[in-house]
Amino acid sequence: MAHRYSLAQLTVLGWAPPEMIYNAHTLGYDCVGIRSITMGVKGENDYDIYRNREMFDLTRRAMDETGVAINDIELAKIADGVDVRNYEGPFEAAAELGVKNVISSIWTDKKDFYLDQFATLCDLAKQYGITVNLEFVTWASIRTLKETREVLDTVKRDNAGIMVDTLHLYRSRVDPAELDDCPKELFHMAHICDGPAEIPDWDDKESLIHTGRDERYYVGEGAIDIAGVVRRLPDDVVLSIELPHLKREGSWGSMEHAKRCLSTAKDYMVENGIL
């Protein structure tokens, strides 16, 4: 089975969901991932399709006209002062559009709190047929594959999964072989991109954040063993290209940047014998 390719919102933050879907169709993507739960990061707009019903209707029309699905929404963030039950509205809107995945990450060191919140998040998402894909992020509180497994093994929810981002995996110094010890049913999607060989220290959050949000590399352009990761994931895992590069996007335009994201990824997979 050939992998399906998704365009992640962070790659083209300026595109609202309807525009993103039409452009993804033109470029040859199979699906998209949208940020309908805002994080408040630099350059991010409010794409809350639950509260903005006009945007919801335009998004559904774009899906109907193009056949491009929404694979996932983000970000169901777990953090101090955040009640995950507030994500019910975005889950309801996502379910109306047939979305089956939400991305989550953990940004608090209070273990009892984040375990309780993650369990509550999974239970809430299950009511809408949604899987919660926990991503480990190098400048968050849960930042390694081992820590992610510990969360899932503790909460024991059947709609909880692991979201691997190749940049974060590499910068967390996770050997791709560690994925062999994870049950394959935990993987539903992955973020792919490349990055430089140098790995900043854990406490150098400025450098970690800069590359992660502003300057990721095209697949095959850097030092990450992306093929070694993808080969260890199920064949039906959606490969979501999350590849912000503000300088290139500014020079070439968002459309050309998104085009190169997909073409370089597909070329790399063919060169490495991956469909």
Side-chain angles (χ1 to χ4, degrees):
M1 178 185 295
H3 286 286
R4 298 168 66 222
Y5 289 88
S6 181
L7 177 61
Q9 184 81 71
L10 190 59
T11 307
V12 284
L13 267 178
W15 288 354
E19 180 184 13
M20 193 176 183
I21 290 167
Y22 286 119
N23 288 343
H25 175 67
T26 299
L27 293 169
Y29 286 89
D30 302 294
C31 47
V32 300
I34 66 172
R35 286 199 169 195
S36 58
I37 306 171
T38 58
M39 285 184 62
V41 302
K42 178 182 64 176
E44 184 181 35
N45 298 310
D46 184 357
Y47 299 138
D48 185 346
I49 57 173
Y50 173 70
R51 297 185 184 281
N52 187 336
R53 299 308 291 184
E54 181 182 5
M55 184 178 291
F56 176 91
D57 291 339
L58 291 171
T59 299
R60 179 158 55 188
R61 180 185 302 172
M63 294 173 66
D64 291 341
E65 292 179 352
T66 64
V68 171
I70 298 175
N71 179 71
D72 57 277
I73 64 167
E74 58 175 339
L75 176 73
K77 185 176 183 179
I78 295 174
D80 295 330
V82 175
D83 184 348
V84 298
R85 290 173 293 185
N86 292 331
Y87 299 138
E88 183 165 9
F91 287 178
E92 179 182 332
E96 286 186 61
L97 297 176
V99 181
K100 299 298 182 184
N101 294 284
V102 62
I103 300 172
S104 180
S105 51
I106 295 174
W107 302 77
T108 173
D109 294 325
K110 299 174 183 176
K111 188 171 184 178
D112 289 344
F113 172 74
Y114 71 64
L115 289 174
D116 176 73
Q117 286 285 283
F118 187 74
T120 300
L121 180 68
C122 290
D123 292 344
L124 180 64
K126 189 170 184 177
Q127 298 177 40
Y128 296 94
I130 293 174
T131 295
V132 180
N133 301 275
L134 182 59
E135 178 180 17
F136 50 100
V137 179
T138 45
W139 61 89
S141 298
I142 297 300
R143 57 190 186 182
T144 68
L145 178 63
K146 180 181 177 181
E147 291 170 346
T148 305
R149 282 293 305 278
E150 288 175 352
V151 173
L152 268 61
D153 290 343
T154 301
V155 302
K156 301 183 188 306
R157 294 304 196 270
D158 60 8
N159 66 324
I162 298 174
M163 221 293 296
V164 173
D165 180 301
T166 53
L167 179 69
H168 296 316
L169 180 139
Y170 177 76
R171 290 188 157 197
S172 294
R173 295 177 171 81
V174 175
D175 188 319
E178 292 182 43
L179 296 169
D180 294 335
D181 296 326
C182 299
K184 296 301 184 211
E185 60 267 21
L186 294 179
F187 301 106
H188 306 275
M189 60 176 295
H191 278 162
I192 59 170
C193 70
D194 219 327
E198 180 183 2
I199 300 176
D201 294 332
W202 287 121
D203 57 358
D204 186 5
K205 290 192 175 184
E206 183 177 351
S207 295
L208 292 169
I209 292 171
H210 172 74
T211 303
R213 290 183 179 164
D214 298 345
E215 200 172 359
R216 300 191 185 204
Y217 291 4
Y218 293 133
V219 172
E221 186 181 16
I224 302 173
D225 181 12
I226 298 168
V229 174
V230 174
R231 287 194 185 101
R232 288 176 163 87
L233 301 176
D235 291 340
D236 60 350
V237 160
V238 171
L239 300 180
S240 177
I241 303 177
E242 184 174 75
L243 210 159
H245 197 298
L246 301 189
K247 185 176 181 180
R248 288 173 172 172
E249 188 180 5
S251 297
W252 301 334
S254 299
M255 198 73 172
E256 180 64 22
H257 173 55
K259 177 182 176 181
R260 296 188 187 202
C261 286
L262 182 59
S263 63
T264 53
K266 287 187 171 181
D267 288 347
Y268 172 89
M269 296 304 169
V270 171
E271 290 168 5
N272 285 274
I274 300 171
L275 295 177

